Amino acid sequence: MPIYLDNAATSFPKPESVYAAIDHANRQLAVAAGRGRYQRANDADRMLSLARQAAAHLIGAETTQISFAFSGSDALSTAILGYLKPGDHAIASAADHTSVLRPLWHLEQNHQLELTVVDCDENGFIDSNEIKSAIKPNTKMVCLTHASNVTGVIQPTEDVGEFCKANEIAFLLDAAQTIGHLKFDFRSIDFDFLAAPGHKSLLGPLGTGFLLATDKVAEHCDPLRFGGTGSTGNEFNQPTTCPQKFESGNLNLPGIAGLLAGIQWLATDEAIANSDRTNNLTRQLATQLSEIEHVTVYGLEHIQTPTVSFNIAGTDCQTVGMLLDSQFEIECRTGLHCAPLIHKKIGSAEFGGTVRFSPGVFTTEDEIDQAIAAVQTIAREMGAAIQ
Ligand SMILES: Cc1ncc(COP(=O)(O)O)c(C=O)c1O
């Protein structure tokens, strides 16, 4: 089996209970939830309620504020394209992912939005004062990625959330790289929208995610999709209450069953032990990579999530990625990681981005040792070529 170090993109493998829940749902439960009066439709609906409760509990939200989505990008687009209106101003950052930036750029290009993108520093960190000084009378939304998916640095979300609340600006938190990591307390952050993929550290399957929208902002957020919701079928208009407002069509029931099992797994002793191990392995990985001659680790002192980005002098990141795969059977991500603006600031643009190792809850010490040894070998060979 190859060594999988691309968990920041999507977690793999999943806990056994997740595979079992998906299989069970596909065989026993995958019917139109909440749309019929037969027992199985009720059972499916009950499972959806449990998954919604589990997601809400993670972030201290109300169950009705959680709408299922197909991915983090889907949830982000719903919030950004649904909430912002012509003439509004929004603020994002150079550390943001394209799933935040592209919907914003789309609105800006269509002359519907005034956009400010604040810079980050050489570690990918955003100074909250930069955000505060960018606000204008028409600022309606601040978007911030909780943790950079390139450097693993944590942004000042508490401060930004407090500021947005005081100024009645909607705060959209992109929790793609933090949701499911046990060390983050979402209850301490004042967000209005939170976008979460279900398939990363929540350990659900691809095709899952959710959007949290507080009542205050949900009321002013238009749906992206329209259609059947299993409720108010005699009305022409889309329901105005959540979650039906944002959930048109049959839901991804097997996927959500897997997501529920993933969230439930996070409460087990195994999850707590594995999560501690992942954090320790990440520190070991970052430190030992940084000690290799010709290797630069980005944001070394600031890594807070299992995300270690690096480059080898004189070599573009894609070449390193291909060598890791072809010679060492190590699967990792290379390139811009859908965060196109951060690389100029952290110094990785000349390499075409970074090589990113992202361990997961099932990554072992032996796999990390092998990854470090592989980089040592490549760096030695590349280093010899430079000299
Ligand atoms: C910071 C960040 N935001 C958003 C996303 C988008 O998530 P998804 O792949 O579920 O659309 C990602 C995925 O890599 C991410 O890292």
Side-chain angles (χ1 to χ4, degrees):
M1 249 322 232
I3 295 173
Y4 182 76
L5 290 178
D6 197 15
N7 288 276
T10 194
S11 55
F12 180 85
K14 313 292 180 185
E16 279 305 318
S17 56
V18 170
Y19 297 123
I22 297 168
D23 189 53
H24 170 78
N26 267 321
R27 292 172 196 276
Q28 310 280 347
L29 208 59
V31 298
R35 281 156 165 79
R37 293 283 67 89
Y38 51 98
Q39 187 54 43
R40 220 181 329 199
N42 291 339
D43 292 346
D45 208 28
R46 207 162 19 251
M47 188 284 292
L48 290 180
S49 297
L50 285 177
R52 228 182 276 283
Q53 276 167 26
H57 181 72
L58 279 175
I59 54 176
E62 301 289 327
T63 305
T64 51
Q65 296 172 334
I66 302 289
S67 306
F68 290 114
F70 302 119
S71 61
S73 304
D74 185 41
L76 287 163
S77 275
T78 301
I80 292 169
L81 299 176
Y83 190 74
L84 291 168
K85 305 289 181 304
D88 287 349
H89 172 244
I91 301 171
S93 88
D96 282 329
H97 192 272
T98 38
S99 51
V100 170
L101 294 170
R102 279 191 177 151
L104 291 170
W105 282 329
H106 171 77
L107 293 178
E108 187 189 34
Q109 279 161 15
N110 286 289
H111 310 291
Q112 291 175 18
L113 183 75
E114 213 183 321
L115 177 65
T116 303
V117 178
V118 301
D119 248 339
C120 59
D121 72 9
E122 68 282 5
N123 298 305
F125 181 75
I126 312 294
D127 181 345
S128 52
N129 290 322
E130 297 266 338
I131 291 177
K132 292 175 190 174
S133 52
I135 77 158
K136 301 182 178 198
N138 57 339
T139 306
K140 288 287 158 36
M141 182 182 264
V142 170
C143 310
L144 194 58
T145 300
H146 195 178
S148 161
N149 65 324
V150 178
T151 62
V153 69
I154 293 293
Q155 306 298 0
T157 49
E158 270 114 357
D159 192 23
V160 172
E162 225 173 84
F163 173 80
C164 286
K165 189 176 183 184
N167 289 278
E168 296 186 1
I169 297 166
F171 178 32
L172 166 58
L173 183 67
D174 174 2
Q177 294 298 329
T178 50
I179 192 89
H181 287 295
L182 302 179
K183 67 184 196 180
F184 297 110
D185 175 14
F186 289 90
R187 287 174 170 76
S188 63
I189 309 171
D190 265 318
F191 44 77
D192 299 290
F193 290 105
L194 179 146
H199 60 95
K200 295 184 195 267
S201 295
L202 291 180
L203 301 167
L206 285 160
T208 59
F210 65 84
L211 173 68
L212 164 289
T214 59
D215 302 347
K216 191 177 74 181
V217 290
E219 193 190 336
H220 303 287
C221 186
D222 296 327
L224 276 193
R225 280 180 288 272
F226 296 81
T229 54
S231 62
T232 61
N234 59 342
E235 289 179 18
F236 282 12
N237 294 329
Q238 187 76 4
T240 52
T241 51
C242 291
Q244 290 84 0
K245 185 175 186 180
F246 301 120
E247 289 181 354
S248 288
N250 277 297
L251 289 171
N252 172 10
L253 206 106
I256 295 169
L259 173 59
L260 171 60
I263 297 175
Q264 286 170 335
W265 184 85
L266 289 172
T268 63
D269 290 345
E270 185 187 7
I272 294 163
N274 287 21
S275 151
D276 286 346
R277 187 186 61 202
T278 312
N279 294 337
N280 292 337
L281 288 177
T282 303
R283 264 191 298 280
Q284 179 193 332
L285 177 65
T287 310
Q288 294 192 17
L289 287 179
S290 73
E291 288 164 0
I292 302 172
E293 198 182 2
H294 307 300
V295 171
T296 301
V297 172
Y298 299 97
L300 177 62
E301 302 300 329
H302 306 270
I303 297 171
Q304 297 270 3
T305 59
T307 308
V308 180
S309 260
F310 66 95
N311 271 309
I312 299 179
T315 317
D316 73 285
C317 64
Q318 304 295 355
T319 304
V320 178
M322 280 185 290
L323 290 170
L324 284 165
D325 179 45
S326 61
Q327 295 188 10
F328 302 93
E329 284 196 86
I330 293 172
E331 297 173 330
C332 68
R333 184 76 176 265
T334 48
L336 302 179
H337 316 297
C338 300
L341 304 181
I342 196 173
H343 297 277
K344 254 197 208 139
K345 302 306 294 187
I346 67 173
S348 51
E350 64 180 284
F351 298 92
T354 71
V355 185
R356 185 183 71 184
F357 282 167
S358 48
V361 282
F362 296 112
T363 303
T364 64
E365 190 161 358
D366 180 52
E367 289 176 320
I368 292 298
D369 287 344
Q370 287 188 53
I372 294 165
V375 176
Q376 269 164 346
T377 306
I378 297 172
R380 203 167 39 242
E381 285 166 8
M382 295 300 172
I386 301 171
Q387 282 153 8

